[in-house]
Amino acid sequence: MTDLTRLTIAQARQKLRAKEITSSELTGAYLAAIERANPELNAYVVVTDEKARAMAKASDERLAKGEARALEGIPLGIKDLFATEGIHTQACSYVLDGFRPRYESTVSANLWADGAVMLGKLNMDEFAMGSSNETSYYGPAINPWRRSRATTSVMPTTHAGEAGFVSAGGVKTERQLDNQRLVPGGSSGGSATAVSAWLCAAATATDTGGSIRQPAALTGTVGIKPTYGRCSRWGIVAFASSLDQAGPIARDVRDAAIMLKSMASVDPKDTTSVDRPVPDYELAIGRSIKGMRIGIPREYRVEGMPEEIEALWQQGIAWMKDAGAEIVDISLPHTKYALPAYYIVAPAEASSNLARYDGVRYGLRVPGKDIIDMYEKTRAAGFGREVKRRIMIGTYVLSAGYYDAYYLQAQKVRNLIKRDFEIVFADGIDAILTPATPSAAFGIADEDMANDPVKMYLNDVFTVTVNMAGLPGIAVPAGVDQKGLPLGLQLIGRPFDEETLFRAGAVIEQAAGRFEPERWW
């Protein structure tokens, strides 16, 4: 029997509408897979078993009547940053211990309105602050991919058909998996893990400086951060309000297009959401990119970039050329200032947004001798180390005497970064091709990363510019490194031109093929 969890959204949608399978069967298969795998992978912090089965049953009743909606009966995972009515919503932080909102985020409400089924809440870095999912109060999500190493052995004869490659000379080469646990990236690490390990058909995620695209690249999945304002932020726990944007992580480009169509909308409850028609993104898949002008920014060749990342980038350029696109060298001169500017703007906004968590209205409360003491004890106990670090940085750059020197200067740099992109796009560039990450997945509790936060922050070096400029960006799996780990390429587009990203992303996907981990869990 076909493993139902291996179906893409598009495949499952077809089978559901043809009544070859039911949503209850599909949902049951995912719940069983979660029960088996989650103790190893820690992708879900809450599994909503009863709710999922009830939603699936309701979808089956609608499907039986021929009333299928866009995502009817499709089981999804929801990042713990999205408010879900009556269900655990803690941004994977102890400070929100026990919080169950009385309202639903606009994005998740849109998905339920389109018939999707909720499997549970997904792990993430605390308050979306991290690039490895190691800052979660619930412990790290684990990447389903593992490093592999080549081993050779001399065989007396050629054994065609055995696992591994056997040369005519009788030398057999195999790849063996390493036991080291790897990070799935962050902050949407649980979302990326769940999608990559077949624990949901797709997942919601958020991206403040790369938190959709980086984990997608590290897990062989597709992640798109849409234009700022394309998806409502209402009901999403805020990190940095001028940078945060919701988007999907999915198995392939088509599934990401299907998901974004349902997630996006204008919302009167969010003044930053933009009142523009939401296209049927799926129609962009398969369209030619002949004549499209693809920019290659010279500033993205950063010092110390591994040769295999450069080789992957060159391969992506070749695929674009082969598909008929014109390759154009471009300059984004203020790129080198993006990461330091981001790590001033984002912590400043986080400092302001997280001031509300004081133990008074909801979540954790640690008693104190007076209200100030209660505030201090609650926040000291409730926030993790990385969140405290960013609150302190943010409070510092907003303080008297430093606001002009740091925060205002960072905002000026942000405007220059945005202007760089505007000039390039005004010159006829349709999309920009770059690497998605500076490396493949690294180990859990990696000493270099743990002892040097700046090295962790450098994981966002290729992604933060997109958030600073409010642009759309997509990460598509494009190859594997020498140890068999997935690597991704990033495409950056014009504001509200996600369709072009889906068109070009599908070209990369078609050329590179699909990447799936070897099941060990």
Side-chain angles (χ1 to χ4, degrees), residues 371-433:
I371 193 167
I372 300 299
D373 192 41
M374 186 268 285
Y375 288 162
E376 292 174 349
K377 288 181 176 177
T378 298
R379 290 170 67 83
F383 291 134
R385 183 178 179 182
E386 181 60 31
V387 173
K388 290 175 183 175
R389 178 184 289 120
R390 298 199 193 192
I391 290 173
M392 292 296 289
I393 292 171
T395 303
Y396 177 80
V397 301
L398 292 175
S399 62
Y402 297 101
Y403 181 88
D404 291 346
Y406 293 105
Y407 184 71
L408 284 187
Q409 290 299 316
Q411 291 289 20
K412 290 176 182 178
V413 170
R414 182 179 185 176
N415 286 332
L416 292 172
I417 292 167
K418 184 172 182 288
R419 181 62 181 155
D420 285 348
F421 283 106
E422 289 171 348
I423 292 170
V424 165
F425 288 130
D427 198 33
I429 296 299
D430 296 294
I432 297 167
L433 178 69

Short mmCIF file of all heavy atoms in Angstrom, two decimals, residues 371-433:
data_model
loop_
_atom_site.label_atom_id
_atom_site.label_comp_id
_atom_site.label_asym_id
_atom_site.label_seq_id
_atom_site.Cartn_x
_atom_site.Cartn_y
_atom_site.Cartn_z
N ILE A 371 5.56 44.40 42.94
CA ILE A 371 5.31 44.19 41.51
C ILE A 371 6.59 44.27 40.68
O ILE A 371 6.77 43.51 39.72
CB ILE A 371 4.24 45.19 40.99
CG1 ILE A 371 3.76 44.74 39.61
CG2 ILE A 371 4.78 46.62 40.96
CD1 ILE A 371 2.51 45.44 39.15
N ILE A 372 7.51 45.14 41.06
CA ILE A 372 8.78 45.23 40.32
C ILE A 372 9.57 43.94 40.48
O ILE A 372 10.13 43.41 39.51
CB ILE A 372 9.62 46.44 40.80
CG1 ILE A 372 8.85 47.76 40.59
CG2 ILE A 372 10.96 46.47 40.08
CD1 ILE A 372 8.51 48.05 39.14
N ASP A 373 9.59 43.42 41.69
CA ASP A 373 10.29 42.17 41.94
C ASP A 373 9.65 41.03 41.16
O ASP A 373 10.34 40.15 40.63
CB ASP A 373 10.27 41.87 43.44
CG ASP A 373 11.21 40.74 43.83
OD1 ASP A 373 12.34 40.71 43.29
OD2 ASP A 373 10.82 39.90 44.67
N MET A 374 8.32 41.04 41.08
CA MET A 374 7.61 40.02 40.30
C MET A 374 7.96 40.11 38.82
O MET A 374 8.22 39.10 38.16
CB MET A 374 6.10 40.17 40.50
CG MET A 374 5.27 39.07 39.86
SD MET A 374 4.74 39.48 38.18
CE MET A 374 3.44 40.66 38.54
N TYR A 375 7.98 41.34 38.28
CA TYR A 375 8.40 41.53 36.88
C TYR A 375 9.78 40.91 36.65
O TYR A 375 10.00 40.16 35.70
CB TYR A 375 8.51 43.03 36.54
CG TYR A 375 7.23 43.80 36.41
CD1 TYR A 375 7.27 45.19 36.48
CD2 TYR A 375 6.00 43.18 36.20
CE1 TYR A 375 6.12 45.95 36.36
CE2 TYR A 375 4.84 43.93 36.08
CZ TYR A 375 4.91 45.33 36.16
OH TYR A 375 3.77 46.07 36.03
N GLU A 376 10.71 41.28 37.50
CA GLU A 376 12.10 40.87 37.31
C GLU A 376 12.25 39.35 37.40
O GLU A 376 12.93 38.73 36.56
CB GLU A 376 12.99 41.56 38.34
CG GLU A 376 13.10 43.07 38.12
CD GLU A 376 13.87 43.76 39.23
OE1 GLU A 376 14.15 43.10 40.26
OE2 GLU A 376 14.20 44.96 39.07
N LYS A 377 11.61 38.75 38.40
CA LYS A 377 11.73 37.30 38.58
C LYS A 377 11.04 36.54 37.45
O LYS A 377 11.54 35.51 36.98
CB LYS A 377 11.16 36.89 39.93
CG LYS A 377 12.04 37.31 41.11
CD LYS A 377 11.44 36.86 42.43
CE LYS A 377 12.38 37.22 43.60
NZ LYS A 377 11.78 36.86 44.91
N THR A 378 9.89 37.04 37.02
CA THR A 378 9.16 36.38 35.93
C THR A 378 9.96 36.41 34.64
O THR A 378 10.12 35.39 33.96
CB THR A 378 7.80 37.04 35.71
OG1 THR A 378 7.00 36.90 36.90
CG2 THR A 378 7.06 36.42 34.54
N ARG A 379 10.49 37.56 34.29
CA ARG A 379 11.24 37.68 33.04
C ARG A 379 12.58 36.95 33.10
O ARG A 379 13.03 36.36 32.11
CB ARG A 379 11.44 39.16 32.69
CG ARG A 379 10.12 39.83 32.27
CD ARG A 379 10.23 41.34 32.16
NE ARG A 379 11.09 41.77 31.08
CZ ARG A 379 10.71 41.88 29.81
NH1 ARG A 379 9.48 41.54 29.44
NH2 ARG A 379 11.55 42.32 28.89
N ALA A 380 13.19 36.94 34.29
CA ALA A 380 14.45 36.22 34.45
C ALA A 380 14.25 34.72 34.27
O ALA A 380 15.06 34.02 33.65
CB ALA A 380 15.06 36.51 35.81
N ALA A 381 13.15 34.21 34.82
CA ALA A 381 12.87 32.77 34.74
C ALA A 381 12.26 32.38 33.40
O ALA A 381 12.49 31.28 32.90
CB ALA A 381 11.93 32.37 35.87
N GLY A 382 11.48 33.30 32.81
CA GLY A 382 10.69 32.95 31.64
C GLY A 382 11.42 33.01 30.32
O GLY A 382 11.09 32.27 29.39
N PHE A 383 12.40 33.89 30.19
CA PHE A 383 13.12 34.05 28.93
C PHE A 383 14.40 33.23 28.92
O PHE A 383 15.11 33.15 29.92
CB PHE A 383 13.49 35.52 28.69
CG PHE A 383 12.32 36.42 28.40
CD1 PHE A 383 12.20 37.64 29.04
CD2 PHE A 383 11.34 36.05 27.49
CE1 PHE A 383 11.14 38.49 28.78
CE2 PHE A 383 10.27 36.89 27.22
CZ PHE A 383 10.16 38.11 27.86
N GLY A 384 14.71 32.67 27.77
CA GLY A 384 15.97 31.95 27.59
C GLY A 384 17.13 32.89 27.33
O GLY A 384 16.96 34.10 27.16
N ARG A 385 18.32 32.31 27.25
CA ARG A 385 19.55 33.09 27.15
C ARG A 385 19.59 33.97 25.89
O ARG A 385 19.96 35.14 25.95
CB ARG A 385 20.75 32.13 27.17
CG ARG A 385 22.10 32.82 27.14
CD ARG A 385 23.22 31.78 27.21
NE ARG A 385 24.53 32.42 27.18
CZ ARG A 385 25.67 31.73 27.18
NH1 ARG A 385 25.64 30.40 27.22
NH2 ARG A 385 26.83 32.36 27.14
N GLU A 386 19.22 33.41 24.74
CA GLU A 386 19.31 34.18 23.50
C GLU A 386 18.29 35.31 23.48
O GLU A 386 18.59 36.42 23.00
CB GLU A 386 19.10 33.27 22.28
CG GLU A 386 19.19 33.97 20.93
CD GLU A 386 20.54 34.63 20.68
OE1 GLU A 386 21.57 34.14 21.19
OE2 GLU A 386 20.57 35.66 19.98
N VAL A 387 17.10 35.06 23.99
CA VAL A 387 16.08 36.12 24.05
C VAL A 387 16.55 37.24 24.97
O VAL A 387 16.42 38.43 24.63
CB VAL A 387 14.72 35.55 24.51
CG1 VAL A 387 13.72 36.67 24.73
CG2 VAL A 387 14.19 34.56 23.48
N LYS A 388 17.12 36.89 26.10
CA LYS A 388 17.64 37.91 27.01
C LYS A 388 18.74 38.73 26.33
O LYS A 388 18.79 39.96 26.48
CB LYS A 388 18.20 37.26 28.28
CG LYS A 388 17.13 36.67 29.20
CD LYS A 388 17.79 35.95 30.37
CE LYS A 388 16.76 35.29 31.26
NZ LYS A 388 17.39 34.48 32.34
N ARG A 389 19.61 38.04 25.59
CA ARG A 389 20.69 38.73 24.89
C ARG A 389 20.11 39.78 23.93
O ARG A 389 20.56 40.92 23.87
CB ARG A 389 21.55 37.73 24.12
CG ARG A 389 22.67 38.39 23.32
CD ARG A 389 23.44 37.36 22.49
NE ARG A 389 24.26 36.51 23.35
CZ ARG A 389 24.14 35.19 23.44
NH1 ARG A 389 23.23 34.56 22.72
NH2 ARG A 389 24.92 34.50 24.23
N ARG A 390 19.10 39.39 23.17
CA ARG A 390 18.55 40.31 22.17
C ARG A 390 17.75 41.44 22.82
O ARG A 390 17.75 42.56 22.31
CB ARG A 390 17.72 39.54 21.15
CG ARG A 390 18.56 38.52 20.39
CD ARG A 390 17.92 38.07 19.12
NE ARG A 390 18.60 36.90 18.58
CZ ARG A 390 18.40 36.41 17.36
NH1 ARG A 390 17.53 36.99 16.55
NH2 ARG A 390 19.05 35.34 16.94
N ILE A 391 17.07 41.15 23.91
CA ILE A 391 16.37 42.22 24.63
C ILE A 391 17.38 43.24 25.14
O ILE A 391 17.16 44.46 25.03
CB ILE A 391 15.55 41.64 25.80
CG1 ILE A 391 14.34 40.86 25.26
CG2 ILE A 391 15.07 42.75 26.74
CD1 ILE A 391 13.56 40.12 26.33
N MET A 392 18.49 42.77 25.68
CA MET A 392 19.51 43.68 26.20
C MET A 392 20.12 44.52 25.07
O MET A 392 20.32 45.74 25.22
CB MET A 392 20.60 42.88 26.92
CG MET A 392 20.14 42.22 28.20
SD MET A 392 19.66 43.41 29.47
CE MET A 392 21.26 44.09 29.91
N ILE A 393 20.42 43.89 23.95
CA ILE A 393 20.97 44.63 22.81
C ILE A 393 19.97 45.68 22.35
O ILE A 393 20.31 46.85 22.12
CB ILE A 393 21.32 43.68 21.66
CG1 ILE A 393 22.49 42.78 22.03
CG2 ILE A 393 21.64 44.47 20.38
CD1 ILE A 393 22.75 41.66 21.02
N GLY A 394 18.71 45.25 22.21
CA GLY A 394 17.68 46.17 21.74
C GLY A 394 17.43 47.33 22.67
O GLY A 394 17.26 48.47 22.24
N THR A 395 17.42 47.05 23.96
CA THR A 395 17.21 48.12 24.94
C THR A 395 18.38 49.10 24.92
O THR A 395 18.18 50.32 25.01
CB THR A 395 17.07 47.50 26.36
OG1 THR A 395 15.98 46.57 26.35
CG2 THR A 395 16.79 48.58 27.39
N TYR A 396 19.58 48.57 24.74
CA TYR A 396 20.77 49.42 24.68
C TYR A 396 20.72 50.36 23.49
O TYR A 396 20.94 51.58 23.63
CB TYR A 396 22.02 48.53 24.61
CG TYR A 396 23.32 49.29 24.47
CD1 TYR A 396 23.94 49.87 25.58
CD2 TYR A 396 23.95 49.42 23.24
CE1 TYR A 396 25.13 50.56 25.46
CE2 TYR A 396 25.14 50.12 23.10
CZ TYR A 396 25.72 50.68 24.22
OH TYR A 396 26.90 51.37 24.09
N VAL A 397 20.41 49.84 22.29
CA VAL A 397 20.46 50.69 21.09
C VAL A 397 19.30 51.69 21.04
O VAL A 397 19.34 52.66 20.28
CB VAL A 397 20.48 49.86 19.79
CG1 VAL A 397 21.69 48.94 19.76
CG2 VAL A 397 19.19 49.08 19.57
N LEU A 398 18.28 51.47 21.87
CA LEU A 398 17.16 52.41 21.94
C LEU A 398 17.31 53.41 23.09
O LEU A 398 16.49 54.32 23.23
CB LEU A 398 15.83 51.67 22.10
CG LEU A 398 15.36 50.84 20.90
CD1 LEU A 398 14.09 50.08 21.26
CD2 LEU A 398 15.12 51.73 19.68
N SER A 399 18.35 53.24 23.89
CA SER A 399 18.49 54.07 25.08
C SER A 399 18.99 55.47 24.74
O SER A 399 19.57 55.71 23.67
CB SER A 399 19.45 53.40 26.07
OG SER A 399 20.74 53.28 25.50
N ALA A 400 18.77 56.38 25.65
CA ALA A 400 19.22 57.77 25.46
C ALA A 400 20.72 57.80 25.25
O ALA A 400 21.48 57.16 25.97
CB ALA A 400 18.84 58.60 26.69
N GLY A 401 21.14 58.53 24.25
CA GLY A 401 22.56 58.65 23.95
C GLY A 401 23.04 57.66 22.91
O GLY A 401 24.12 57.85 22.33
N TYR A 402 22.27 56.59 22.66
CA TYR A 402 22.68 55.58 21.69
C TYR A 402 21.67 55.41 20.56
O TYR A 402 21.98 54.80 19.53
CB TYR A 402 22.91 54.23 22.38
CG TYR A 402 24.03 54.30 23.39
CD1 TYR A 402 23.74 54.42 24.75
CD2 TYR A 402 25.36 54.29 22.99
CE1 TYR A 402 24.76 54.51 25.68
CE2 TYR A 402 26.38 54.40 23.92
CZ TYR A 402 26.08 54.50 25.26
OH TYR A 402 27.09 54.61 26.18
N TYR A 403 20.47 55.93 20.75
CA TYR A 403 19.41 55.81 19.73
C TYR A 403 19.88 56.39 18.40
O TYR A 403 19.76 55.75 17.36
CB TYR A 403 18.16 56.55 20.24
CG TYR A 403 16.98 56.49 19.31
CD1 TYR A 403 16.07 55.44 19.39
CD2 TYR A 403 16.76 57.49 18.37
CE1 TYR A 403 14.97 55.38 18.55
CE2 TYR A 403 15.66 57.45 17.52
CZ TYR A 403 14.78 56.40 17.62
OH TYR A 403 13.69 56.33 16.78
N ASP A 404 20.43 57.61 18.41
CA ASP A 404 20.90 58.24 17.18
C ASP A 404 22.10 57.51 16.59
O ASP A 404 22.22 57.34 15.37
CB ASP A 404 21.28 59.70 17.43
CG ASP A 404 20.07 60.58 17.74
OD1 ASP A 404 18.94 60.10 17.49
OD2 ASP A 404 20.25 61.71 18.21
N ALA A 405 23.00 57.08 17.47
CA ALA A 405 24.25 56.48 17.01
C ALA A 405 24.05 55.10 16.40
O ALA A 405 24.78 54.71 15.48
CB ALA A 405 25.24 56.39 18.17
N TYR A 406 23.06 54.35 16.89
CA TYR A 406 22.88 52.97 16.43
C TYR A 406 21.57 52.77 15.67
O TYR A 406 21.57 52.45 14.48
CB TYR A 406 22.96 51.99 17.61
CG TYR A 406 24.33 51.93 18.23
CD1 TYR A 406 24.60 52.55 19.44
CD2 TYR A 406 25.37 51.25 17.59
CE1 TYR A 406 25.86 52.49 20.01
CE2 TYR A 406 26.64 51.18 18.15
CZ TYR A 406 26.88 51.81 19.36
OH TYR A 406 28.12 51.75 19.91
N TYR A 407 20.45 52.96 16.35
CA TYR A 407 19.16 52.61 15.73
C TYR A 407 18.87 53.46 14.50
O TYR A 407 18.51 52.94 13.44
CB TYR A 407 18.04 52.74 16.76
CG TYR A 407 16.70 52.29 16.22
CD1 TYR A 407 16.45 50.94 15.98
CD2 TYR A 407 15.70 53.22 15.95
CE1 TYR A 407 15.23 50.52 15.47
CE2 TYR A 407 14.48 52.80 15.43
CZ TYR A 407 14.25 51.46 15.20
OH TYR A 407 13.05 51.05 14.69
N LEU A 408 19.02 54.76 14.61
CA LEU A 408 18.73 55.63 13.46
C LEU A 408 19.70 55.36 12.30
O LEU A 408 19.31 55.38 11.13
CB LEU A 408 18.79 57.10 13.86
CG LEU A 408 17.59 57.64 14.65
CD1 LEU A 408 17.72 59.15 14.83
CD2 LEU A 408 16.27 57.32 13.94
N GLN A 409 20.97 55.10 12.62
CA GLN A 409 21.93 54.79 11.58
C GLN A 409 21.57 53.48 10.87
O GLN A 409 21.69 53.36 9.64
CB GLN A 409 23.34 54.69 12.17
CG GLN A 409 23.93 56.01 12.62
CD GLN A 409 24.07 57.02 11.48
OE1 GLN A 409 24.51 56.67 10.38
NE2 GLN A 409 23.69 58.26 11.72
N ALA A 410 21.13 52.49 11.66
CA ALA A 410 20.73 51.21 11.07
C ALA A 410 19.53 51.38 10.15
O ALA A 410 19.44 50.74 9.09
CB ALA A 410 20.42 50.20 12.17
N GLN A 411 18.61 52.25 10.53
CA GLN A 411 17.44 52.49 9.67
C GLN A 411 17.85 53.18 8.37
O GLN A 411 17.27 52.93 7.30
CB GLN A 411 16.39 53.32 10.42
CG GLN A 411 15.71 52.60 11.57
CD GLN A 411 14.74 51.52 11.10
OE1 GLN A 411 14.80 51.03 9.98
NE2 GLN A 411 13.81 51.13 11.97
N LYS A 412 18.83 54.06 8.44
CA LYS A 412 19.34 54.70 7.22
C LYS A 412 19.98 53.67 6.30
O LYS A 412 19.79 53.70 5.08
CB LYS A 412 20.35 55.80 7.59
CG LYS A 412 19.71 57.01 8.25
CD LYS A 412 20.78 58.03 8.68
CE LYS A 412 20.15 59.23 9.39
NZ LYS A 412 21.18 60.19 9.86
N VAL A 413 20.76 52.75 6.90
CA VAL A 413 21.36 51.68 6.11
C VAL A 413 20.28 50.81 5.47
O VAL A 413 20.38 50.40 4.32
CB VAL A 413 22.29 50.82 6.99
CG1 VAL A 413 22.73 49.55 6.25
CG2 VAL A 413 23.51 51.63 7.43
N ARG A 414 19.23 50.56 6.23
CA ARG A 414 18.11 49.77 5.71
C ARG A 414 17.52 50.41 4.46
O ARG A 414 17.22 49.73 3.47
CB ARG A 414 17.05 49.61 6.80
CG ARG A 414 15.87 48.76 6.40
CD ARG A 414 14.89 48.63 7.55
NE ARG A 414 13.82 47.73 7.23
CZ ARG A 414 12.87 47.37 8.08
NH1 ARG A 414 12.89 47.85 9.32
NH2 ARG A 414 11.92 46.53 7.72
N ASN A 415 17.35 51.70 4.49
CA ASN A 415 16.82 52.41 3.33
C ASN A 415 17.76 52.30 2.13
O ASN A 415 17.32 52.18 0.98
CB ASN A 415 16.58 53.88 3.66
CG ASN A 415 15.36 54.09 4.54
OD1 ASN A 415 14.42 53.29 4.50
ND2 ASN A 415 15.35 55.14 5.34
N LEU A 416 19.07 52.33 2.39
CA LEU A 416 20.05 52.20 1.31
C LEU A 416 20.01 50.79 0.71
O LEU A 416 20.14 50.63 -0.52
CB LEU A 416 21.45 52.51 1.83
CG LEU A 416 21.71 53.97 2.24
CD1 LEU A 416 23.07 54.10 2.91
CD2 LEU A 416 21.63 54.90 1.02
N ILE A 417 19.83 49.78 1.55
CA ILE A 417 19.72 48.41 1.07
C ILE A 417 18.49 48.27 0.17
O ILE A 417 18.55 47.68 -0.93
CB ILE A 417 19.64 47.42 2.25
CG1 ILE A 417 20.96 47.38 3.00
CG2 ILE A 417 19.23 46.02 1.78
CD1 ILE A 417 20.89 46.69 4.35
N LYS A 418 17.38 48.83 0.62
CA LYS A 418 16.15 48.80 -0.18
C LYS A 418 16.35 49.53 -1.51
O LYS A 418 15.90 49.05 -2.57
CB LYS A 418 15.02 49.45 0.62
CG LYS A 418 13.65 49.41 -0.02
CD LYS A 418 12.59 49.90 0.96
CE LYS A 418 11.19 49.84 0.37
NZ LYS A 418 10.98 50.86 -0.65
N ARG A 419 17.06 50.64 -1.47
CA ARG A 419 17.31 51.41 -2.68
C ARG A 419 18.17 50.63 -3.67
O ARG A 419 17.95 50.70 -4.88
CB ARG A 419 17.99 52.74 -2.30
CG ARG A 419 18.28 53.66 -3.48
CD ARG A 419 17.02 54.07 -4.19
NE ARG A 419 17.32 54.94 -5.33
CZ ARG A 419 16.53 55.07 -6.38
NH1 ARG A 419 15.39 54.40 -6.45
NH2 ARG A 419 16.86 55.87 -7.37
N ASP A 420 19.14 49.86 -3.17
CA ASP A 420 19.97 49.02 -4.05
C ASP A 420 19.08 48.10 -4.90
O ASP A 420 19.29 47.97 -6.12
CB ASP A 420 20.93 48.15 -3.23
CG ASP A 420 22.10 48.93 -2.65
OD1 ASP A 420 22.31 50.09 -3.07
OD2 ASP A 420 22.80 48.37 -1.79
N PHE A 421 18.14 47.44 -4.23
CA PHE A 421 17.24 46.53 -4.95
C PHE A 421 16.36 47.29 -5.95
O PHE A 421 16.13 46.82 -7.07
CB PHE A 421 16.38 45.75 -3.97
CG PHE A 421 17.10 44.63 -3.27
CD1 PHE A 421 17.48 44.74 -1.93
CD2 PHE A 421 17.39 43.45 -3.94
CE1 PHE A 421 18.13 43.71 -1.29
CE2 PHE A 421 18.06 42.40 -3.30
CZ PHE A 421 18.43 42.53 -1.97
N GLU A 422 15.86 48.44 -5.54
CA GLU A 422 15.00 49.23 -6.43
C GLU A 422 15.73 49.61 -7.72
O GLU A 422 15.15 49.54 -8.82
CB GLU A 422 14.51 50.49 -5.71
CG GLU A 422 13.51 50.20 -4.61
CD GLU A 422 13.19 51.42 -3.75
OE1 GLU A 422 13.93 52.43 -3.86
OE2 GLU A 422 12.22 51.35 -2.96
N ILE A 423 17.00 49.99 -7.59
CA ILE A 423 17.80 50.36 -8.77
C ILE A 423 17.98 49.17 -9.69
O ILE A 423 17.83 49.27 -10.93
CB ILE A 423 19.17 50.92 -8.33
CG1 ILE A 423 18.98 52.28 -7.63
CG2 ILE A 423 20.11 51.07 -9.52
CD1 ILE A 423 20.24 52.79 -6.95
N VAL A 424 18.28 48.02 -9.12
CA VAL A 424 18.49 46.81 -9.92
C VAL A 424 17.21 46.39 -10.65
O VAL A 424 17.23 46.09 -11.85
CB VAL A 424 19.02 45.67 -9.01
CG1 VAL A 424 18.90 44.32 -9.71
CG2 VAL A 424 20.46 45.93 -8.61
N PHE A 425 16.11 46.40 -9.93
CA PHE A 425 14.85 46.00 -10.56
C PHE A 425 14.39 47.02 -11.60
O PHE A 425 13.81 46.66 -12.62
CB PHE A 425 13.78 45.76 -9.50
CG PHE A 425 13.99 44.52 -8.67
CD1 PHE A 425 13.94 44.56 -7.28
CD2 PHE A 425 14.25 43.30 -9.27
CE1 PHE A 425 14.14 43.43 -6.52
CE2 PHE A 425 14.46 42.15 -8.52
CZ PHE A 425 14.40 42.21 -7.14
N ALA A 426 14.65 48.29 -11.36
CA ALA A 426 14.31 49.32 -12.34
C ALA A 426 15.12 49.17 -13.62
O ALA A 426 14.70 49.63 -14.69
CB ALA A 426 14.53 50.72 -11.74
N ASP A 427 16.26 48.50 -13.50
CA ASP A 427 17.13 48.28 -14.67
C ASP A 427 16.74 47.03 -15.45
O ASP A 427 17.47 46.60 -16.33
CB ASP A 427 18.58 48.17 -14.20
CG ASP A 427 19.58 48.40 -15.33
OD1 ASP A 427 19.29 49.20 -16.23
OD2 ASP A 427 20.64 47.75 -15.30
N GLY A 428 15.59 46.44 -15.09
CA GLY A 428 15.07 45.32 -15.88
C GLY A 428 15.37 43.94 -15.36
O GLY A 428 15.08 42.94 -16.03
N ILE A 429 15.94 43.83 -14.17
CA ILE A 429 16.19 42.51 -13.58
C ILE A 429 14.87 41.95 -13.07
O ILE A 429 14.11 42.63 -12.38
CB ILE A 429 17.22 42.61 -12.44
CG1 ILE A 429 18.58 43.06 -12.99
CG2 ILE A 429 17.34 41.27 -11.70
CD1 ILE A 429 19.19 42.11 -14.00
N ASP A 430 14.58 40.67 -13.41
CA ASP A 430 13.32 40.04 -13.00
C ASP A 430 13.45 39.29 -11.68
O ASP A 430 12.48 39.22 -10.91
CB ASP A 430 12.87 39.06 -14.09
CG ASP A 430 12.54 39.77 -15.39
OD1 ASP A 430 11.57 40.54 -15.40
OD2 ASP A 430 13.27 39.55 -16.38
N ALA A 431 14.61 38.73 -11.41
CA ALA A 431 14.85 38.01 -10.15
C ALA A 431 16.35 37.93 -9.93
O ALA A 431 17.14 38.11 -10.86
CB ALA A 431 14.24 36.61 -10.19
N ILE A 432 16.73 37.68 -8.69
CA ILE A 432 18.14 37.62 -8.30
C ILE A 432 18.41 36.23 -7.74
O ILE A 432 17.65 35.73 -6.90
CB ILE A 432 18.45 38.71 -7.25
CG1 ILE A 432 18.22 40.10 -7.86
CG2 ILE A 432 19.87 38.57 -6.73
CD1 ILE A 432 18.20 41.22 -6.83
N LEU A 433 19.50 35.61 -8.21
CA LEU A 433 19.87 34.26 -7.77
C LEU A 433 21.07 34.32 -6.85
O LEU A 433 22.10 34.91 -7.20
CB LEU A 433 20.18 33.37 -8.98
CG LEU A 433 20.62 31.93 -8.68
CD1 LEU A 433 19.46 31.12 -8.11
CD2 LEU A 433 21.17 31.26 -9.93
#
